[in-house]
């Protein structure tokens, strides 16, 4: 099932907050990733199907929160205290099989269903 990144990107200033949402039926394990041109895609974090377990990249730990409401088929990435280095294109991706913290491993290890990205730009 292909996830759909529904909303949330934009231009904000440092210290601001944004919330991205991704819709995916079937409560799959989901990860959030980001990519800057010229750099490798980076995992932001991921969440288990029941929402009880999450993994975060150290760069966002304490500022970003991933949560889900399976009744709404929606996973959110809440980003607070945004920094210029958070500027990137953000993606959500789901897997049908694998651990909840799959995003902490190379993405080539899993068959990931990718949603289209959304640009987040943080200006100083």
């Amino acid at each position: 099932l292909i996830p759909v990144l529904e909303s949330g990107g934009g231009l904000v200033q440092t210290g601001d907050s944004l919330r991205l949402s991704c819709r995916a039926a079937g409560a799959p394990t989901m990860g959030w990733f980001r990519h800057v041109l010229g750099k490798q895609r980076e995992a932001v974090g991921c969440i288990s199907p029941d929402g009880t377990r999450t993994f975060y990249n150290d760069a966002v730990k304490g500022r970003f929160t991933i949560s889900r409401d399976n009744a709404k088929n929606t996973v959110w990435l809440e980003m607070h205290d945004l920094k210029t280095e958070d500027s990137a294109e953000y993606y959500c991706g789901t897997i049908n099989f694998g651990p909840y913290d799959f995003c902490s491993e190379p993405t080539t290890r899993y068959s990931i269903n990718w949603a289209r990205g959304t640009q987040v730009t943080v200006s100083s």
Side-chain angles (χ1 to χ4, degrees), residues 5-28:
L5 200 156
E6 293 195 309
S7 64
L11 173 63
V12 296
Q13 294 186 319
T14 54
D16 282 353
S17 298
L18 271 180
R19 187 173 77 164
L20 308 182
S21 64
C22 189
R23 179 180 287 268

Side-chain angles (χ1 to χ4, degrees), residues 21-63:
S21 64
C22 189
R23 179 180 287 268
T29 300
M30 183 178 289
W32 287 94
F33 302 81
R34 62 189 183 186
H35 181 238
V36 176
L37 276 176
K39 296 185 178 181
Q40 276 196 319
R41 181 171 48 206
E42 176 182 57
V44 174
C46 36
I47 188 167
S48 61
D50 63 3
T52 60
R53 292 171 293 175
T54 52
F55 167 86
Y56 296 99
N57 183 318
D58 284 346
V60 307
K61 208 173 285 185
R63 299 187 297 120

